[in-house]
Each structure stands twice: as C-alpha cells, then as structure tokens.
Amino acid sequence: MLPDRKIALTRKSEDRFKRIKQSTGQSVNQQANEKYFSSLENGYKVNLIQIDKPDMGDIKLEKATWLGECQKIVELTLKDLYPTATNEEAALLWALHVESQV
C-alpha cells in the first residue's frame, strides 16, 4: 500500500525525533514505529476528505528502512483504516499518524 519510493515524516515529527535521538540515541525510524502504533492504540484516525498536507521533513527513506519488520503490519492497518487511500495518501497518512503522537 505504501509507495516503493522514498517517504518522509512531517517536519514537526522529524525535528522532534532528531532532538530525542541526540539525548537518547534511539533512531528516528524506531521512534516513528513506536509513535505509529501508539496512534493506533489511541484510536487516531484521519479524515481523508479534509486532509491538509503538512510540511514534510528532509529525511526520505525507503519504506523498508522506516518500517523494518513492521512493514506488513503497518500496511495492513493502513489498508484496513483507509481502504480507498492511494499509495501517496497512505504515505501521508502514516506520517500524520506518527505526528499525532509527537
């Protein structure tokens, strides 16, 4: 569901994660995975009709790098929550889920 090209977090998430990495050493992609699953636990959902594209960050990685072993689970949950989303919308939705927990 997520595009095979490189995807990015929102600038807000990226800036916050860089600061956390400096103090804890935890990688940005690990933090993003934790925040994504936290958003699911908290019932966060984006309204596809009223979606506003935020400023995106500079770190662009392949989905396999961002998601690691969680790739299939993330894609399945996005597909379940947003069955009509395109690949590009799915990438934005993933980033918004992550940002919602920052």
Side-chain angles (χ1 to χ4, degrees):
M1 176 171 209
L2 290 168
D4 290 326
R5 64 173 173 69
K6 294 183 177 188
I7 56 177
L9 292 170
T10 62
R11 175 137 347 257
K12 176 182 173 182
S13 298
E14 185 178 296
D15 291 344
R16 176 79 172 126
F17 291 162
K18 284 179 182 177
R19 286 194 301 275
I20 293 171
K21 183 178 181 181
Q22 288 176 342
S23 62
T24 67
Q26 186 181 25
S27 71
V28 173
N29 56 333
Q30 288 174 327
Q31 295 176 65
N33 274 327
E34 287 178 15
K35 298 301 183 188
Y36 175 77
F37 288 108
S38 291
S39 77
L40 296 179
E41 289 175 355
N42 292 323
Y44 178 77
K45 191 161 182 190
V46 178
N47 183 346
L48 282 174
I49 296 171
Q50 297 176 342
I51 195 168
D52 289 326
K53 187 171 181 185
D55 289 335
M56 301 308 281
D58 297 324
I59 300 174
K60 291 181 171 59
L61 301 172
E62 301 290 332
K63 68 180 175 182
T65 305
W66 277 122
L67 307 175
E69 294 177 358
C70 301
Q71 181 176 335
K72 287 187 180 188
I73 296 169
V74 170
E75 290 188 307
L76 285 171
T77 56
L78 284 171
K79 191 171 192 163
D80 185 50
L81 287 171
Y82 310 101
T84 61
T86 66
N87 290 355
E88 285 70 33
E89 288 174 331
L92 179 57
L93 291 165
W94 168 77
L96 291 173
H97 270 266
V98 172
E99 182 184 270
S100 75
Q101 302 302 303
V102 171

